[in-house]
Amino acid sequence: MNTVVITGCTVADGRVADGASPVEDAGILVRDDRIAAVGTRQEILAEVADRTDVDRVDLGGAYVTPGLVNMHTHLSLSLPGAGGDQVKDLNPHELALYMADGARRTLDCGVTTVRCVAEKDHADFALRRAIEAGRVPGPRMFTAGRALVCTGGHGHEGTDTLECDGVDGFRRGTRAQLKAGADLIKVMISGGIAGQHESIDTPQLFADEMAAVIETAHAWGRRVTAHAGPAAVIAQAVELGLDCVEHGYQLTPEVAARMAARGTALVPTLLVTRCKGFFDELGVPEWMQCRSLGAGPAHLDSFATAVAAGVEVLLGSDMPPFWSFEGTNATVRELEHMAEVIGPARALHAATLGPARWLRAEADIGTVEPGRYADLIAMDENPLAAASAYRGVHWVMKGGRVVRTGPPTSGRKTP
C-alpha cells in the first residue's frame, strides 16, 4: 500500500461556506488513491512515526484545497472561425489525441474533475476509459456524450450533437447517449451565441420534447442539463424537472426563485460573454462576437439574480479549462468572475463540493475528508481571501499521485 504524508499546509474545502473552519498547520495521510486521515500535523505524523515506507511531502506553508471541478467542459470545442475549423478538420485519430492533450493540460492546471457537455463522435467515452485505465493523464470525467438538439437547433452543425425531433426522437436520442455510457444528458432548449441563424432567446423544443428527455433520463437515474438562455424557456423546463441550466443569460427574479425552490442548479459560464481576446485568437466572426459581448451586462445581472434567489451556482468555463486567458487559465478566470458576486468562500464551494453533490459523487470528490479520493491542489495564497489565489496553483495530486509540482502556470493554448 502506497502511503503519503502531506504536511506544511492549511487545509480548506467547500464546507467553509457552511461555517466549517480551515485546518491550520495540517497534515493529510493518503493511502493508495484515497485520503485516510486529516488533522493537525502532529496527529498525522504520530500515525506514521515508526514507519520508513512513507513518502513525505512538505508544502512549505501552502493552502490545500480539493482539486477544482469544471462543470462545463468541451475538450473538442470548435467555434465558428479559423481556429474552430482546424478542430473540425481533424480525423478521428487526430481528434482523440487532441482531446487527450487537452485532458492532460486540464489536469496540469489543477482541474481534477470535469463534466463534459457535448463532445465529438463519442470520443469522450474512449478518453474516459483511457484515463481510468491510466494510459492517459487527465481529470476524472463525467460526460453527456453528444448533446441533443432539434433539427437545425443550436450546435447542429457539429458531430458533438445529435439532431432529434418529436417525443419519440428525443427519447431515442437520450437512450442512445445512455447506451454509449453517458453519466448525464445535455439538451439544447434555446438558441445561443454560436448559432448564426438563431438568437439567444429562440425557443427550440416543445414541452413534450423536453419532457421526453427529462423523463427518460430520470428513469435511468441520470440528471439532465440544458443549454438555455431565455427565462420563459427555462421556466418551462424547470417545471418539467430540469436539473441544471447552462448559461441562463436572461433569468428573471421569478424564474430564479422557482429554480431555487425546485433545486435546479445554474452553471453561468460568465466567460462566454466577456472573452473578446479568446474570440480574436480563434478568428471568431464579428456577428458572434457582437452577440456574445452584447449579452454580457444582462448575463451578469442574470447571474446576480440567481444568486440572490438562492440558486445553487457551479463553476463551468465553457472555454477549454486549461486555456491561457487574461494571465491565468479559463477555469480560474471564470471562478474569479463568480467570486466577484458570491465571494471567495462560496466560490470554493461552487468549484468543489457543489459540483460533487450535483454529480452525486460527494462520497468520492469535493472535500478533503477521509474516504475521498486524494485529488488535491496547493497554492501559496489564501483562497478564502481571494479566488485569485488559484492563479498560483503549484502542486497537483490526483488519486494519491503527484501529477505536477513546480512554479504556477497560466495554462497553455492548444497548438
Side-chain angles (χ1 to χ4, degrees):
M1 181 176 289
N2 182 50
T3 303
V4 180
V5 170
I6 303 164
T7 57
C9 60
T10 295
V11 173
D13 63 32
R15 293 173 294 172
V16 299
D18 299 320
S21 299
V23 181
E24 298 181 351
D25 193 19
I28 306 169
L29 177 63
V30 176
R31 290 198 178 99
D32 284 343
D33 60 351
R34 294 187 182 258
I35 298 169
V38 181
T40 66
R41 178 176 59 85
Q42 293 89 343
E43 291 170 339
I44 298 304
L45 289 176
E47 290 203 28
V48 296
D50 298 325
R51 293 184 56 177
T52 59
D53 60 339
V54 175
D55 292 329
R56 301 172 187 270
V57 176
D58 187 333
L59 291 174
Y63 289 83
V64 171
T65 74
L68 302 178
V69 184
N70 193 313
M71 292 284 279
H72 193 119
T73 298
H74 302 283
L75 293 173
S76 57
L77 181 69
S78 56
L79 295 176
D85 289 344
Q86 292 178 7
V87 178
K88 291 177 183 176
D89 290 341
L90 296 174
N91 67 40
H93 310 295
E94 292 169 331
L95 177 66
L97 292 170
Y98 176 86
M99 292 174 64
D101 183 59
R104 175 186 60 81
R105 296 170 193 249
T106 295
L107 181 59
D108 189 62
C109 288
V111 177
T112 55
T113 301
V114 295
R115 187 186 68 161
C116 296
V117 287
E119 300 291 0
K120 291 178 171 51
D121 300 327
H122 279 176
D124 42 327
F125 298 112
L127 177 58
R128 184 179 65 186
R129 289 191 296 270
I131 292 172
E132 290 174 350
R135 293 191 294 270
V136 173
R140 303 184 193 280
M141 284 181 60
F142 294 79
T143 186
R146 298 171 73 181
L148 307 181
V149 303
C150 66
T151 295
H154 183 73
H156 72 278
E157 306 91 345
T159 61
D160 51 357
T161 58
L162 178 65
E163 288 182 302
C164 310
D165 287 296
V167 170
D168 184 60
F170 276 97
R171 286 198 190 280
R172 288 177 180 272
T174 301
R175 289 171 178 151
Q177 305 320 301
L178 297 173
K179 178 181 178 180
D183 303 293
L184 66 143
I185 298 297
K186 165 82 174 290
V187 60
M188 312 294 204
I189 64 174
S190 79
I193 285 171
Q196 187 170 9
H197 304 296
E198 63 190 36
S199 63
I200 288 175
D201 58 1
T202 302
Q204 294 194 345
L205 268 69
F206 293 108
D208 59 353
E209 294 174 319
M210 285 190 270
V213 174
I214 294 168
E215 290 171 2
T216 305
H218 285 181
W220 286 68
R222 306 302 201 278
R223 286 183 164 169
V224 179
T225 193
H227 164 100
V233 172
I234 293 170
Q236 189 177 46
V238 168
E239 293 307 311
L240 292 170
L242 182 68
D243 301 296
C244 188
V245 171
E246 308 297 311
H247 314 303
Y249 301 115
Q250 301 169 353
L251 289 173
T252 63
E254 295 77 16
V255 174
R258 194 59 183 151
M259 288 175 63
R262 294 293 296 265
T264 307
L266 172 67
V267 180
T269 67
L270 298 173
L271 279 182
V272 301
T273 56
R274 43 193 41 81
C275 60
K276 180 171 174 52
F278 174 65
F279 288 157
D280 288 343
E281 192 174 342
L282 293 181
V284 169
E286 186 66 19
W287 64 262
M288 180 175 165
Q289 294 211 29
C290 289
R291 185 184 298 175
S292 169
L293 303 176
H299 189 191
L300 189 58
D301 288 345
S302 181
F303 174 59
T305 296
V307 171
V311 174
E312 178 81 358
V313 294
L314 309 173
L315 170 67
S317 62
D318 205 348
M319 287 171 56
F322 57 85
W323 201 274
S324 181
F325 184 70
E326 295 184 349
T328 185
N329 59 71
T331 301
V332 172
R333 193 69 187 100
E334 175 71 21
L335 192 59
E336 289 175 334
H337 282 307
M338 294 179 71
E340 290 177 5
V341 177
I342 63 177
R346 201 69 196 173
L348 174 55
H349 181 278
T352 54
L353 182 55
R357 287 174 174 168
W358 194 95
L359 293 166
R360 297 174 175 148
E362 64 269 33
D364 290 322
I365 63 173
T367 56
V368 186
E369 292 184 89
R372 277 53 172 186
Y373 283 121
D375 294 354
L376 306 169
I377 57 177
M379 67 220 76
D380 290 333
E381 301 298 322
N382 184 359
L384 299 178
S388 59
Y390 285 99
R391 290 178 175 242
V393 169
H394 58 75
W395 182 87
V396 179
M397 170 180 276
K398 182 197 168 194
R401 295 183 59 229
V402 176
V403 296
R404 185 172 75 80
T405 183
T409 65
S410 62
R412 305 185 188 93
K413 304 179 181 68
T414 52

